[in-house]
Amino acid sequence: IASHGRNVVVETEDQGCVPCSLSARRLQVVCGDDVHWRLSDSAGKGVVLERLPRRSTLSRINAQGQNEVVVANISQLIVVFAPQPAPDFFIVDRYVAAAELHGLKALVVFNKCELNGTAGECEAELSNFARIGYVTARCSAVTVAGMSLLHRRLDGEVSVLVGQSGVGKSTLANALLPGLEART
C-alpha cells in the first residue's frame, strides 16, 4: 500500500500493515502490487520475496524517457478537479486519456462544488464528460454533498485518486476512509 524506494508497506488481512524491505535489487514494486512476503525479524518487519503478475497498470514516462509504472492492479481512475486552485482541464483530459489507454474505468469528479469562482466553468466541463459517456460526480468533503454517491461509485472497484495539487484528493480520501488521516 506504500512504496518508498527499497522500503514498502504490505497490507495483509490478518496482520494489518507490515513494514517490509525488498529482497532483491531488481525487484520493483509499486502501490497496488500483490506480493509474496514473509516476516524477517521478531520486531514485526518483513521482506518482500516476489511480485505477482499485474492485472493492470498506470504508468508515465520518466525523465529518462522510459515507461514507469506508478500504480498496479487498479480498475478505476478517479480524476478530481475543483474550482480552487484554478482548474487545468488539460490535466483532466490527460488523466481520462490515460484511463482509456490502460483499459481502466474513469470517474470524473468535480470536488469542492460548494465554492464559487470558476464553478460554472467546472459544471460545464463536468457536463461535457457526462455527455460523451463518462461517469461523473460532484461532491464536497466539507459539506458532505454527493459523498454517498461517490462512495457507491467506489464499491467493487480498486481506485486511485488523481488530479492537480490542491483539488482535495487527500480530503476526499479521509472522508471516504475514516481513520485514514492522510495529511492535507
Side-chain angles (χ1 to χ4, degrees), residues 129-141:
F129 279 106
R131 185 175 42 79
I132 61 175
Y134 286 97
V135 177
T136 62
R138 72 183 43 74
C139 64
S140 168

Side-chain angles (χ1 to χ4, degrees), residues 88-103:
D88 183 342
F89 294 119
F90 179 68
I91 290 175
V92 175
D93 290 343
R94 284 182 55 196
Y95 279 124
V96 171
E100 290 289 337
L101 177 67
H102 292 283

Side-chain angles (χ1 to χ4, degrees), residues 49 57 74 93 95 107 125 130 144 162 164 169-170 176 184:
L49 306 170
T57 61
I74 60 172
D93 290 343
Y95 279 124
L107 171 58
E125 190 71 12
V144 192
V162 296
Q164 67 191 92
K169 299 179 300 288
S170 295
L176 293 165
T184 61

Side-chain angles (χ1 to χ4, degrees), residues 18 51 58 62 66 69 78 93-94 97 110-111 117 120 128 133 139 141-145 168:
V18 179
R51 183 189 79 220
L58 180 65
N62 66 18
Q66 299 168 327
V69 176
I78 302 172
D93 290 343
R94 284 182 55 196
F110 169 21
N111 190 30
N128 287 336
C139 64
V142 174
T143 68
V144 192

Side-chain angles (χ1 to χ4, degrees), residues 17-19 37 39-46:
C17 296
V18 179
W37 70 282
L39 284 174
S40 63
D41 62 30
S42 59
K45 293 187 179 182

Side-chain angles (χ1 to χ4, degrees), residues 74-79 95-96 99-100 102-107 134-135 153 155-159:
I74 60 172
S75 60
Q76 178 173 246
L77 199 64
I78 302 172
V79 184
Y95 279 124
V96 171
E100 290 289 337
H102 292 283
L104 304 170
K105 294 177 186 176
L107 171 58
Y134 286 97
V135 177
R153 293 287 184 191
D155 196 36
E157 303 291 344
V158 178
S159 304

Side-chain angles (χ1 to χ4, degrees), residues 6-173:
R6 308 294 305 154
N7 298 306
V8 299
V9 177
V10 173
E11 182 178 40
T12 70
E13 287 184 31
D14 57 340
Q15 294 179 324
C17 296
V18 179
C20 295
S21 59
L22 301 179
S23 65
R25 284 182 75 78
R26 292 186 179 217
L27 180 60
Q28 294 184 350
V29 299
V30 296
C31 287
D33 272 327
D34 294 324
V35 298
H36 282 145
W37 70 282
R38 65 172 168 75
L39 284 174
S40 63
D41 62 30
S42 59
K45 293 187 179 182
V47 60
V48 173
L49 306 170
E50 173 187 21
R51 183 189 79 220
L52 301 177
R54 293 171 170 158
R55 297 177 298 284
S56 67
T57 61
L58 180 65
S59 58
R60 65 179 175 200
I61 303 300
N62 66 18
Q64 292 76 36
Q66 299 168 327
N67 195 43
E68 176 182 56
V69 176
V70 292
V71 66
N73 299 322
I74 60 172
S75 60
Q76 178 173 246
L77 199 64
I78 302 172
V79 184
V80 183
F81 68 94
Q84 294 174 7
D88 183 342
F89 294 119
F90 179 68
I91 290 175
V92 175
D93 290 343
R94 284 182 55 196
Y95 279 124
V96 171
E100 290 289 337
L101 177 67
H102 292 283
L104 304 170
K105 294 177 186 176
L107 171 58
V108 182
V109 175
F110 169 21
N111 190 30
K112 302 182 184 180
C113 65
E114 78 282 1
L115 297 179
N116 295 326
T118 58
E121 185 182 11
C122 290
E123 288 288 353
E125 190 71 12
L126 192 68
S127 293
N128 287 336
F129 279 106
R131 185 175 42 79
I132 61 175
Y134 286 97
V135 177
T136 62
R138 72 183 43 74
C139 64
S140 168
V142 174
T143 68
V144 192
M147 292 303 294
S148 62
L149 172 66
L150 181 56
H151 202 276
R152 284 193 303 275
R153 293 287 184 191
L154 297 173
D155 196 36
E157 303 291 344
V158 178
S159 304
V160 63
L161 295 165
V162 296
Q164 67 191 92
S165 180
V167 296
K169 299 179 300 288
S170 295
T171 302
L172 283 174

